[in-house]
Amino acid sequence: MSGDRGAVELEGVTKRFGSMVAVDSMNLLVQPGEFLSLLGPSGCGKTTTLRMLAGFEQPDSGFIRISGQYVQGIPPYKRDVNTVFQHYALFPHMTVAENVAYGLRQKGVSKSEIASKVAEALDMVQMSKLAERKPRQMSGGQQQRVAVARALVNRPSVLLLDEPLGALDRKLREEMQIELKLLQSRLGITFVFVTHDQEEAMSMSDRIAIMLDGHIEQLGDPETVYEHPSSAFVAGFIGRNNFWQGVATEHGIRADDGTIFVASRPEEDVPNELPALSAVRPECINLSAEQPADMANVASGVVAGVSHFGDVLQYVVTSGQRDLLVLTPRAHAARFAMGDNVYCSWSPDDVYLFSARQADIVMADSENLES
Ligand SMILES: Nc1ncnc2c1ncn2[C@@H]1O[C@H](COP(=O)(O)OP(=O)(O)O)[C@@H](O)[C@H]1O
Ligand SMILES: [Mg+2]
């Protein structure tokens, strides 16, 4: 069984709350030592999935194996996992060291063993110096480090983390992302990490499971889900995209305004004349003052916004009824200003084509509003 240590397996796992299906016959195999993120919008079933792994909820059907062991009926404290929540839930009247020691004390571990394990856990998260502090004397980031130490002190093979950095401000969150990732690779522990923040998932994970309505839309490494989104939903959720709604044609899509766009990478097989969405990433759109002669896809418009993001410039170009988002490297020769007439053009090789499901259309509409 030692080869399975740290593996997490879900097989047809379903969880209902009344008539609502929170997790819908989910299958997933997390490899030992892997950093896997469950990523998706609020309400898609991430927390419910994690709580079933932890043992706080029981599946209505399906099986879960952790470290090779079926865990049905096994209470949380007997599973080879531990959980870190968004709200650190430290005991306020206890010191850092007492908080970390709590679980071991409950188990009747000897005093000397507790002392050495607590010291080791605090060292892992660089909190040894603050061992005698109370939670209220520490920042949010420090408290979350203590929560991680507390979860690691009995050395589970799998750590479950539910939006652990969600309450921290941006700079601290980015620092903690790097620290947590380092800690995970040093310890070789499996992390199942829940987040709704796609940048966080992209920067930390070995693989990402993108969830929608209780199921996994796509499972893959960050590059694959960015480069080859398997649905319009994934294309909109990972990174940013400009979407066109319309119907599929032989060569691409006829947008609702009649414009025909050519796509050479249909990610889904969409029959002609059926509702379809095409998508092009903002960094794949070229801007020019003159109409490009040889581009298959061209839309004229007016620059409605310019933002500077260090190494890139972001333009919003109003074209007909909609706004296009365009990102260009700062070093790009041509610069444009508000009110300039411009041509947006892009290659068929950069256009994804998807069938349009209801959820995708809602998402594409909201993308258009945001951009
Ligand atoms: N204890 C519960 N009782 C009833 N409905 C719940 C309960 N927990 C979660 N749900 C519902 O299940 C769905 C999935 O919730 P959750 O797993 O918390 O999503 P996420 O963590 O992705 O935001 C949501 O529609 C939520 O309202
Ligand atoms: Mg949640």
Side-chain angles (χ1 to χ4, degrees), residues 17 20-22 40-49 57 162-163 194:
F17 296 105
M20 139 111 231
V21 184
S42 175
C44 72
K46 305 180 297 293
T47 293
T48 304
T49 303
E57 300 279 2
D162 194 351
E163 314 235 6
V194 162

Side-chain angles (χ1 to χ4, degrees), residues 174-225:
E174 286 171 357
E175 285 167 18
M176 290 285 289
Q177 286 169 359
I178 294 168
E179 265 187 47
L180 266 183
K181 174 70 192 163
L182 275 176
L183 183 67
Q184 185 268 340
S185 45
R186 267 209 311 272
L187 297 177
I189 292 180
T190 310
F191 271 34
V192 182
F193 186 94
V194 162
T195 180
H196 65 270
D197 179 338
Q198 57 101 9
E199 281 180 23
E200 184 163 284
M202 290 289 279
S203 70
M204 299 178 81
S205 316
D206 296 317
R207 287 190 304 161
I208 304 174
I210 296 141
M211 291 183 65
L212 174 67
D213 294 342
H215 71 269
I216 295 176
E217 266 297 276
Q218 186 170 9
L219 175 65
D221 60 67
E223 193 177 334
T224 303
V225 296

Side-chain angles (χ1 to χ4, degrees), residues 132-193:
E132 296 315 315
R133 290 250 179 115
K134 296 275 175 67
R136 64 168 189 283
Q137 300 168 307
M138 296 186 302
S139 70
Q142 290 169 333
Q143 291 186 50
Q144 196 56 306
R145 282 201 187 98
V146 175
V148 170
R150 188 176 59 176
L152 288 174
V153 72
N154 59 358
R155 287 306 186 107
S157 303
V158 180
L159 199 62
L160 308 171
L161 304 102
D162 194 351
E163 314 235 6
L165 310 180
L168 307 179
D169 65 40
R170 188 188 174 94
K171 190 161 182 299
L172 187 55
R173 197 165 73 224
E174 286 171 357
E175 285 167 18
M176 290 285 289
Q177 286 169 359
I178 294 168
E179 265 187 47
L180 266 183
K181 174 70 192 163
L182 275 176
L183 183 67
Q184 185 268 340
S185 45
R186 267 209 311 272
L187 297 177
I189 292 180
T190 310
F191 271 34
V192 182
F193 186 94

Side-chain angles (χ1 to χ4, degrees), residues 73-348:
I74 296 182
Y77 65 92
K78 286 193 178 157
R79 298 186 179 199
D80 196 9
V81 299
N82 233 326
T83 311
V84 178
F85 301 98
Q86 176 171 351
H87 297 286
Y88 345 108
L90 299 176
F91 299 114
H93 58 285
M94 292 185 192
T95 66
V96 164
E98 287 164 349
N99 264 285
V100 176
Y102 183 80
L104 298 174
R105 224 169 252 156
Q106 294 292 100
K107 278 189 184 166
V109 176
S110 77
K111 261 197 168 149
S112 61
E113 196 181 335
I114 290 178
S116 74
K117 285 193 161 167
V118 167
E120 191 188 22
L122 287 178
D123 191 41
M124 280 189 241
V125 296
Q126 293 149 43
M127 288 295 291
S128 307
K129 286 195 180 123
L130 304 186
E132 296 315 315
R133 290 250 179 115
K134 296 275 175 67
R136 64 168 189 283
Q137 300 168 307
M138 296 186 302
S139 70
Q142 290 169 333
Q143 291 186 50
Q144 196 56 306
R145 282 201 187 98
V146 175
V148 170
R150 188 176 59 176
L152 288 174
V153 72
N154 59 358
R155 287 306 186 107
S157 303
V158 180
L159 199 62
L160 308 171
L161 304 102
D162 194 351
E163 314 235 6
L165 310 180
L168 307 179
D169 65 40
R170 188 188 174 94
K171 190 161 182 299
L172 187 55
R173 197 165 73 224
E174 286 171 357
E175 285 167 18
M176 290 285 289
Q177 286 169 359
I178 294 168
E179 265 187 47
L180 266 183
K181 174 70 192 163
L182 275 176
L183 183 67
Q184 185 268 340
S185 45
R186 267 209 311 272
L187 297 177
I189 292 180
T190 310
F191 271 34
V192 182
F193 186 94
V194 162
T195 180
H196 65 270
D197 179 338
Q198 57 101 9
E199 281 180 23
E200 184 163 284
M202 290 289 279
S203 70
M204 299 178 81
S205 316
D206 296 317
R207 287 190 304 161
I208 304 174
I210 296 141
M211 291 183 65
L212 174 67
D213 294 342
H215 71 269
I216 295 176
E217 266 297 276
Q218 186 170 9
L219 175 65
D221 60 67
E223 193 177 334
T224 303
V225 296
Y226 190 85
E227 276 293 319
H228 303 285
S230 64
S231 67
F233 171 76
V234 175
F237 205 79
I238 300 280
R240 308 183 72 174
N241 255 308
N242 295 288
F243 285 96
W244 282 265
Q245 279 179 55
V247 295
T249 67
E250 201 181 329
H251 301 294
I253 192 171
R254 184 170 67 249
D256 289 346
D257 65 3
T259 320
I260 291 180
F261 293 117
V262 186
S264 62
R265 47 189 299 183
E267 303 288 323
E268 290 181 80
D269 191 16
V270 196
N272 282 353
E273 298 304 319
L274 282 193
L277 284 163
S278 70
V280 58
R281 294 209 181 270
E283 67 268 27
C284 296
I285 296 182
N286 304 306
L287 282 187
S288 56
E290 306 293 329
Q291 179 158 13
D294 54 353
M295 293 296 274
N297 298 309
V298 180
S300 64
V302 178
V303 174
V306 186
S307 320
H308 294 257
F309 290 110
D311 50 345
V312 292
L313 287 171
Q314 174 183 291
Y315 295 99
V316 177
V317 177
T318 302
S319 172
Q321 295 296 308
R322 55 162 305 149
D323 291 332
L324 297 183
L325 196 63
V326 181
L327 293 174
T328 50
R330 188 181 194 72
H332 194 271
R335 294 276 179 93
F336 301 95
M338 297 276 284
D340 283 358
N341 290 307
V342 290
Y343 291 92
C344 300
S345 58
W346 58 95
S347 158

